[in-house]
Amino acid sequence: MRTRSLLALAGTVTALTVAAAVPASADGGAVLTTGGVGGTAVAVGDTLTAPLAAGTTATLYSSATGTSGVSCTSSQFTATVTGNPAAPGAASESVTGHTFDPSSCTSNVVGVLGVSSITVDNLPYTASVASDGTLSVSPASGSTIQTTVKLRTLLGSVSCVYRAPGLTGKADNADSSIAFTNQQFTKVSGSSLCFASGYFTARYAPVTDGGAPVFVN
């Protein structure tokens, strides 16, 4: 029997992080705007949030092409804008929250009865979103991106800890989304039921600033 876990982001994560992509260069305008491409600059200090895109799931599968693992239908990230220069360029953020609702999570792994919790550790993370829509998420110096997944199994409670040196995503202005695809995490502790590797996939949309969709320029 093997078990697996979910991320963040994930980290969710997580999971965490900014708005949209396929930019339309707006020389002189800010990298992050509301009201559309080339719109009003997002202010430094503003808080950005995003849930999972409607009808999608966040997954951590045992392989990049597999479907065995854990999936969640409810997850959200929160980030504070720390820099928003003129485009073209790269905006910066501090990812302060990346959560997964365990009641929305299921597992199709034999021996796993349910998900007790998914915690994104070592926050805050640093995020950078470039004018071409490339999103990079990094931990603090000397730290790692880490998620702890607690599972209910036939053998009792099991904790699986997964780490990654960083995450790379892509923003899309079509729906003010951020997508992570097959971001690999490695198990650093946990029983033999925990998968050795986990591949995290999720799409968060819309990324908003005070309810207004955010665009990348």
Side-chain angles (χ1 to χ4, degrees), residues 128-201:
S128 172
V129 60
S131 289
D132 66 357
T134 299
L135 172 69
S136 301
V137 182
S138 305
S141 178
S143 185
T144 61
I145 289 177
Q146 177 175 297
T147 293
T148 300
V149 180
K150 293 185 178 180
L151 304 169
R152 300 189 305 276
T153 78
L154 293 174
L155 301 179
S157 179
V158 171
S159 292
C160 306
V161 179
Y162 290 84
R163 289 178 182 169
L167 301 175
T168 300
K170 192 70 174 178
D172 188 346
N173 280 339
D175 56 357
S176 292
S177 67
I178 294 172
F180 297 94
T181 304
N182 289 330
Q183 298 297 290
Q184 185 176 3
F185 288 78
T186 301
K187 185 186 80 171
V188 294
S189 67
S191 77
S192 59
L193 293 175
C194 302
F195 289 133
S197 294
Y199 292 81
F200 175 65
T201 296

Side-chain angles (χ1 to χ4, degrees), residues 70-170:
V70 174
S71 65
C72 296
T73 59
S74 179
S75 176
Q76 178 172 297
F77 77 77
T78 303
T80 300
V81 178
T82 56
N84 189 19
S92 58
E93 302 171 13
S94 175
V95 181
T96 56
H98 190 186
T99 61
F100 297 86
D101 181 356
S103 68
S104 77
C105 302
T106 59
S107 174
N108 59 0
V109 177
V110 174
V112 176
L113 305 178
V115 180
S116 298
S117 65
I118 299 172
T119 305
V120 177
D121 306 312
N122 300 339
L123 292 170
Y125 300 146
T126 298
S128 172
V129 60
S131 289
D132 66 357
T134 299
L135 172 69
S136 301
V137 182
S138 305
S141 178
S143 185
T144 61
I145 289 177
Q146 177 175 297
T147 293
T148 300
V149 180
K150 293 185 178 180
L151 304 169
R152 300 189 305 276
T153 78
L154 293 174
L155 301 179
S157 179
V158 171
S159 292
C160 306
V161 179
Y162 290 84
R163 289 178 182 169
L167 301 175
T168 300
K170 192 70 174 178

Side-chain angles (χ1 to χ4, degrees), residues 30-31 48 105:
V31 174
L48 308 183
C105 302

